[in-house]
C-alpha cells in the first residue's frame, strides 16, 4: 500500500525538471556607463522573447528552462533582480521580460567577477529545480578589481559541473 504525500508528511514532491538552469549575471559597476547598462538589459529582454529562443527552448527534451537575473558589482554586492522563473511559453517569456523591464537599473562600486561567480553558483542550490545543464552567463566590461582572484572562483564553479559563458560589453 503506497503512502501519499498527504498521509506521509515526510514525503516531498520531486524537484521540477527543466532542460537548463540559467543565471544571467550582469555587471552594474560604475565602469558600465548608463548606455552600456541599457544595452545589456534591453538585450536580455529582447533575447528572452525572441521566437528563435522560444524555438530552442521547445526543442529541448523537456521544453522548458529556468532563468534568474542577478546584478553584481563589488565582492559583497550581488542582488537578484528577478528570481527563478520557468520559461516554457511565449507568455512566460513575456512575463519574465516585463518583470525585468519594470525594475530600475542601479549602479554600484567595484567589479568582482569572483563575487559574481560565487553568488551565481549558490543560486543553483536555491532553485528547487533539477536540470542536466546549469549555466552562468556573465556580462560586463571590467576586470576583477575587488574580492578574491577570479581563477579559483572559476575553478570552483567548473568543479560543480556548471558552465560559464562570458559576454564582454564593449
Amino acid at each position: 500500500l503506497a503512502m501519499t504525500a498527504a498521509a506521509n508528511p515526510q514525503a516531498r514532491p520531486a524537484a521540477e525538471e527543466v532542460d537548463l538552469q540559467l543565471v544571467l549575471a550582469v555587471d552594474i559597476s560604475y565602469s558600465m556607463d548608463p548606455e552600456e547598462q541599457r544595452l545589456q538589459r534591453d538585450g536580455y529582454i529582447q533575447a528572452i522573447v525572441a521566437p528563435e529562443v522560444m524555438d530552442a527552448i521547445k526543442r529541448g527534451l523537456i521544453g522548458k528552462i529556468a532563468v534568474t537575473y542577478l546584478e553584481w558589482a563589488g565582492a559583497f554586492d550581488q542582488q537578484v533582480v528577478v528570481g527563478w522563473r520557468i520559461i516554457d511559453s511565449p507568455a512566460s517569456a513575456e512575463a519574465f521580460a516585463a518583470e525585468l523591464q519594470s525594475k530600475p537599473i542601479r549602479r554600484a562600486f567595484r567589479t568582482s567577477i569572483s563575487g559574481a561567480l560565487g553568488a551565481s553558483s549558490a543560486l543553483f542550490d536555491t532553485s528547487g529545480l533539477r536540470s542536466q545543464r546549469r549555466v552562468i552567463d556573465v556580462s560586463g566590461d571590467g576586470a576583477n578589481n575587488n574580492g578574491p582572484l577570479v581563477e579559483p572562483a572559476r575553478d570552483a564553479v567548473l568543479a560543480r559541473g556548471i558552465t560559464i559563458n562570458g559576454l564582454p560589453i564593449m
Side-chain angles (χ1 to χ4, degrees):
L1 186 61
M3 294 182 79
T4 65
N8 180 1
Q10 299 299 321
R12 295 231 162 101
E16 185 172 0
E17 189 165 3
V18 295
D19 291 306
L20 166 71
Q21 293 178 72
L22 175 63
V23 176
L24 302 174
V26 178
D27 181 0
I28 61 156
S29 68
Y30 277 101
S31 65
M32 296 283 295
D33 65 41
E35 182 179 296
E36 289 173 317
Q37 283 192 296
R38 179 50 53 199
L39 172 75
Q40 190 173 223
R41 172 81 62 95
D42 288 348
Y44 283 121
I45 288 169
Q46 291 170 19
I48 198 70
V49 298
E52 299 85 0
V53 171
M54 186 53 56
D55 289 344
I57 292 169
K58 286 301 188 186
R59 282 195 307 270
L61 290 174
I62 298 164
K64 57 185 169 181
I65 67 170
V67 181
T68 187
Y69 192 93
L70 172 85
E71 291 181 336
W72 60 271
F76 303 103
D77 190 346
Q78 302 90 30
Q79 181 176 319
V80 173
V81 175
V82 179
W84 287 109
R85 299 291 185 269
I86 302 290
I87 308 295
D88 60 358
S89 66
S92 59
E94 289 284 348
F96 179 91
E99 185 174 355
L100 182 56
Q101 181 71 46
S102 74
K103 304 292 184 175
I105 294 178
R106 72 182 183 96
R107 298 177 79 194
F109 291 101
R110 301 284 182 209
T111 303
S112 181
I113 298 167
S114 56
L117 291 174
S120 296
S121 178
L123 289 174
F124 294 111
D125 300 331
T126 66
S127 74
L129 302 163
R130 289 183 303 119
S131 64
Q132 290 294 313
R133 296 182 56 222
R134 297 177 299 168
V135 175
I136 300 169
D137 280 357
V138 181
S139 61
D141 74 343
N144 194 74
N145 64 21
N146 187 241
L149 296 172
V150 173
E151 291 79 7
R154 175 204 61 209
D155 293 347
V157 170
L158 296 176
R160 294 188 60 196
I162 299 167
T163 300
I164 303 168
N165 295 323
L167 176 62
I169 306 293
M170 307 289 283

